[in-house]
């Protein structure tokens, strides 16, 4: 059992939890993920590590409430326990030798982008961050990003905060002005990452994307998290849990990843409603 | 002594009727009664040279335990088995006895061999139902050994070392102990309660089982040595599933057998209101001819599929699955498409609506008929496609059960651990010793996908070698 040390509501659909998991905290690196089960009958879900404190022995996760499991998790409070918490899994984001990087985060993906920005910033890399949200009330981690970035662009789709527009707007402006980076790292919804890759492509700057497909075991056993890379005209199957979650954005078949990601959409919607109803009943 | 039973036939295994069991997840075979067990035991001639024992990878003293059954001392029989086997209730169910102990039985020369596996299962089930007795362990010798993975090889190794007085910790990556016995083999062939019972017995013998620890990630093998473990056994099991490399394998509805079975077995997707989803019903094609393929096909049927095919590129004769599993699958109504090879998986694409929710789901599988040609270097006749014989199988789920490649996590984080071209850990066969001192390995992590009992044999051999290694260091 793993204790929830702290819980913070970041916005109506996004919650932060700090979990006591000393062995995971000891090894965790930005870009890696964990798998958790909320309770004994729960499903296994992967969540990327948002922060970790090796001394305290805690790992922070930030999650969006999308399905039954995240709904159940969100009903846990500080001091409560979750059943299973395993990691750190996946390959850490490569940061060595990078001097100038642009981080592009979208929505709850910003939670994963932040530790990477922090690590790069700490190692003296110049960090430009572009973070985007649908609207002002979904904004998270602005201050944290400001502290970890040399330059920060905050975007909202509806213009209710920061600049109006999606994350590609400032990217394209920067490129038009001749700005360049060693690498662009983007984390967010698949559709956003697809467009970021398209925006970066003309510059030839390497573009890393963080994939978050459906997983079961997360340890390289089931193959559910497979995705297709197009490398030199050849299709290659990779597994996000052991080969990723970071991949070369130019190679990823995003359309396929989006299709596969939606496989259980109806099931998830139903599970979320069920979980909500259950909690409503409990409240009554 | 009672007169031997000279019947040429084994006592049949009582089973659920095919039409009934095809729709539930309860165990197919229901097991011998005391009377049947006694009757079957009397078929054993108690041969002095015990040929059957040489056929058992863990050397169970077969005539000795059968003699106890004849005496009606079922707990005594259990004690004999548990001296050499840590998982009797499991082996009695999933071992391919027909190619092991029973293939050496003298009674098999003229008639059917003694139903050794059925008797083993009876004894183990009798013990589980009537006795909480824990196998004897030697007094603690103060030495600590780490076991990576709680599948059949790891549990066997842990059990044998615990009996010798070692303090053993088993590290399991998943949330439940049992490895392939819980995520892979379905409930109807091996009830999960039985696996749990075997794990509980090990715990009662002083073995610690730590779940949620991925060796190679959470802890490395070097760190285990730093923590004071004097030897490590790696039984991390099969790894990433193989795919065929044909177009369409990423369509929704295409599963690896590992994923399909993990969803159903470990995550209980077969329950009526599961939290982990799986595609239920419809028409299913399972590609492959091994035991895993049979398990996947029979699971699909029980999940409510209206039609299930096994698609295999060779003929019935070459099917690698156990005969009994093949027969069970056929009885339950699974259709075998033999000498057929998939060449493409077809998916739905609405040309007018990119947002059509049906887009990307499987609609069929294109296959080609095969015929057996010249024998290959192993003497198996190579299947060759029959030109122009392509056809489409109308299915909406495809499960690919064509094997796995070893898991890369341990080799990539353990310096000096030699692996072969396929990624399997290189070991000395008799001992399981790897290229790293104090590190032993066995089971699928070494051999690639194989059987439960061969993994147990490897775990057993490694336990003996580890014992010798640690004692040798002391001397």
């Amino acid at each position: 059992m793993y204790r929830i040390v702290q819980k913070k509501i970041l916005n109506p659909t996004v919650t932060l939890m700090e979990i006591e998991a000393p062995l995971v905290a000891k090894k965790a690196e930005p870009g890696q993920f964990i798998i958790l089960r909320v309770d004994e009958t729960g499903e296994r879900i992967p969540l990327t590590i948002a922060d970790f404190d090796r001394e305290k022995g805690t790992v922070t996760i930030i999650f969006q409430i999308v399905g039954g499991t995240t709904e159940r998790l969100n009903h846990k409070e500080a001091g409560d326990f979750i059943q299973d918490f395993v990691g750190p899994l996946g390959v850490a984001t490569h940061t060595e030798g990078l001097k100038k990087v642009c981080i592009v985060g979208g929505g709850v993906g910003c939670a994963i982008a932040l530790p990477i920005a922090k690590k790069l910033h700490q190692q003296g890399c110049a960090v430009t961050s572009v973070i985007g949200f649908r609207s002002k009330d979904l904004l998270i981690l602005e201050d944290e990003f400001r502290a970890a970035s040399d330059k920060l662009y905050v975007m909202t789709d509806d213009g209710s905060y920061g600049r109006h527009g999606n994350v590609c707007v400032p990217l394209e402006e920067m490129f038009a002005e001749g700005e360049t980076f060693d690498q662009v790292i983007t984390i967010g919804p698949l559709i956003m990452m697809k467009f970021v890759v398209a925006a970066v492509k003309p510059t030839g700057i390497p573009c890393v994307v963080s994939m978050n497909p459906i997983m079961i075991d997360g340890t390289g056993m089931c193959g559910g998290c497979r995705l297709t890379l197009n490398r030199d005209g050849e299709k290659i199957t990779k597994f996000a849990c052991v080969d990723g979650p970071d991949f070369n954005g130019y190679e990823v078949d995003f359309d396929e990843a989006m299709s596969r990601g939606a496989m259980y959409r109806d099931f998830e919607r139903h599970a979320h409603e069920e979980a909500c109803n259950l909690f409503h009943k409990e409240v009554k | 002594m009672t007169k031997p039973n000279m019947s040429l036939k084994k006592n049949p295994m009582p089973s659920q009727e095919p039409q009934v069991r095809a729709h539930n997840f309860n165990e197919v075979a229901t097991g011998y009664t005391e009377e049947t067990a006694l009757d079957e035991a009397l078929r054993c001639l108690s041969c002095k040279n015990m040929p059957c024992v040489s056929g058992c990878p863990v050397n169970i003293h077969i005539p000795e335990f059968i003699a106890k059954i004849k005496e009606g001392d079922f707990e005594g029989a259990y004690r004999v088995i548990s001296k050499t086997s840590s998982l009797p209730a499991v082996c009695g169910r999933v071992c391919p006895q027909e190619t092991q102990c029973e293939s050496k039985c003298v009674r098999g020369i003229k008639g059917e061999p003694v139903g050794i596996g059925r008797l083993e299962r009876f004894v183990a089930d009798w013990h589980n139902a009537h006795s909480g007795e824990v196998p004897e362990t030697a007094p603690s010798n103060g030495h600590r050994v780490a076991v990576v993975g709680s599948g059949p090889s790891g549990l066997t190794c842990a059990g044998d070392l615990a009996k010798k007085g070692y303090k053993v910790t088993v590290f399991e990556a998943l949330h439940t102990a049992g490895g392939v016995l819980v995520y892979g083999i379905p409930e109807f062939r091996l009830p999960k309660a039985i696996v749990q019972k075997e794990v509980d017995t090990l715990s009662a013998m002083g073995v610690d089982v730590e779940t949620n620890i991925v060796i190679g990630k959470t802890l490395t093998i070097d760190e285990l040595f730093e923590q004071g473990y004097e030897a490590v056994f790696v039984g991390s099991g099969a790894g990433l599933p193989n795919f065929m490399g044909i177009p369409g394998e990423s369509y929704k509805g295409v599963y690896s057998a590992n994923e399909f079975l993990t969803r159903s077995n470990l995550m209980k997707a077969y329950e009526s209101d599961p939290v982990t989803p799986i595609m239920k019903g419809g028409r299913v094609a399972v590609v492959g001819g091994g035991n895993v393929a049979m398990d996947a096909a029979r699971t699909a049927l029980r999940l409510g599929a209206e039609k299930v095919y096994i698609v295999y590129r060779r003929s019935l004769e070459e099917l690698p699955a156990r005969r009994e599993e093949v027969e069970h699958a056929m009885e339950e109504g699974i259709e075998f498409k033999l000498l057929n090879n998939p060449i493409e998986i077809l998916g739905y694409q609405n040309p007018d609506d990119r947002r059509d929710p049906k887009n990307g789901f499987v609609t069929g599988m294109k296959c080609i008929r095969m015929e057996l040609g010249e024998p290959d270097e192993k003497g198996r006749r190579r299947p060759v496609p029959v030109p122009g014989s392509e056809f489409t199988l109308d299915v909406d789920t495809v499960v690919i059960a064509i094997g796995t490649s070893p898991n890369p996590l341990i080799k990539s984080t353990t310096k000096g651990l030699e692996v072969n071209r396929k990624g399997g850990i290189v070991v000395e066969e008799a001992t399981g010793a790897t290229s790293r001192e104090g590190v032993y390995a066995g089971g699928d992590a070494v051999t690639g996908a194989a059987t439960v009992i061969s993994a147990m044999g490897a775990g057993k051999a490694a336990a003996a070698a580890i014992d010798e290694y640690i004692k040798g260091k002391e001397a």
Side-chain angles (χ1 to χ4, degrees), chain B residues 34 93 99 135 137 149 197 261 269 273 276 291 367 373-374:
Chain B
E34 290 186 15
R93 288 175 163 81
T99 60
T137 55
K197 187 97 191 171
L261 290 170
D273 200 5
T276 298
N291 288 320
C367 302
E374 295 299 308

Side-chain angles (χ1 to χ4, degrees), chain B residues 233-289:
Chain B
F233 174 76
V234 180
S236 51
L240 291 165
N242 295 337
F243 289 88
M244 294 177 283
I246 62 172
E249 285 182 298
S250 293
Y251 281 129
K252 291 174 278 191
V254 182
Y255 292 98
S256 75
N258 273 5
E259 180 183 355
F260 190 72
L261 290 170
T262 299
R263 281 179 183 273
S264 179
N265 299 334
L266 179 73
M267 304 314 297
K268 310 252 179 272
Y270 66 82
E271 288 175 348
S272 59
D273 200 5
V275 290
T276 298
I278 196 165
M279 292 208 18
K280 288 183 185 177
R283 301 165 64 85
V284 183
V286 177
V287 181

Side-chain angles (χ1 to χ4, degrees), chain B residues 93-110:
Chain B
R93 288 175 163 81
V94 302
C95 262
Q97 292 97 6
E98 64 278 10
T99 60
Q100 299 183 334
C101 51
E102 294 181 17
S103 74
K104 313 271 183 188
C105 178
V106 171
R107 294 298 305 268
I109 298 168
K110 205 172 143 192

Side-chain angles (χ1 to χ4, degrees), chain B residues 79-259:
Chain B
R79 270 184 229 124
V80 173
I81 297 175
S82 65
K83 257 193 260 173
T84 52
S85 168
S86 298
L87 309 168
V90 173
C91 290
R93 288 175 163 81
V94 302
C95 262
Q97 292 97 6
E98 64 278 10
T99 60
Q100 299 183 334
C101 51
E102 294 181 17
S103 74
K104 313 271 183 188
C105 178
V106 171
R107 294 298 305 268
I109 298 168
K110 205 172 143 192
E112 288 183 350
V114 175
I116 301 171
R118 293 170 186 180
L119 289 173
E120 181 186 22
R121 170 181 161 160
F122 165 77
V123 168
D125 288 353
W126 192 94
H127 166 83
N128 284 344
H130 296 92
S131 161
E133 198 181 298
V134 174
E136 241 176 83
T137 55
S140 168
N141 62 19
H143 294 290
R144 292 167 71 208
V145 177
V147 169
V148 181
S150 64
S153 72
L155 292 180
T156 301
C157 186
D160 275 25
L161 287 168
K163 281 178 201 158
K164 292 182 204 290
Y166 288 88
K167 184 69 199 154
V168 183
T169 308
V170 179
F171 295 96
E172 168 56 47
L174 294 175
H175 55 264
T176 311
V180 72
L181 306 175
V182 295
Y183 77 71
I185 302 178
E187 182 77 15
F188 56 84
R189 227 156 51 79
L190 179 63
K192 300 311 142 214
I194 282 168
V195 181
Q196 190 53 48
K197 187 97 191 171
E198 305 275 30
V199 173
D200 290 345
T201 303
L202 287 180
S203 300
M205 287 161 64
V207 174
D208 286 327
V209 181
E210 300 257 8
T211 53
N212 293 332
I213 295 191
V214 184
I215 300 299
K217 284 285 170 190
T218 318
L219 289 170
T220 62
I221 289 194
D222 292 291
E223 284 169 316
L224 293 176
F225 282 111
E226 283 164 28
Q227 288 185 9
Y229 293 100
E230 292 165 71
V232 177
F233 174 76
V234 180
S236 51
L240 291 165
N242 295 337
F243 289 88
M244 294 177 283
I246 62 172
E249 285 182 298
S250 293
Y251 281 129
K252 291 174 278 191
V254 182
Y255 292 98
S256 75
N258 273 5
E259 180 183 355

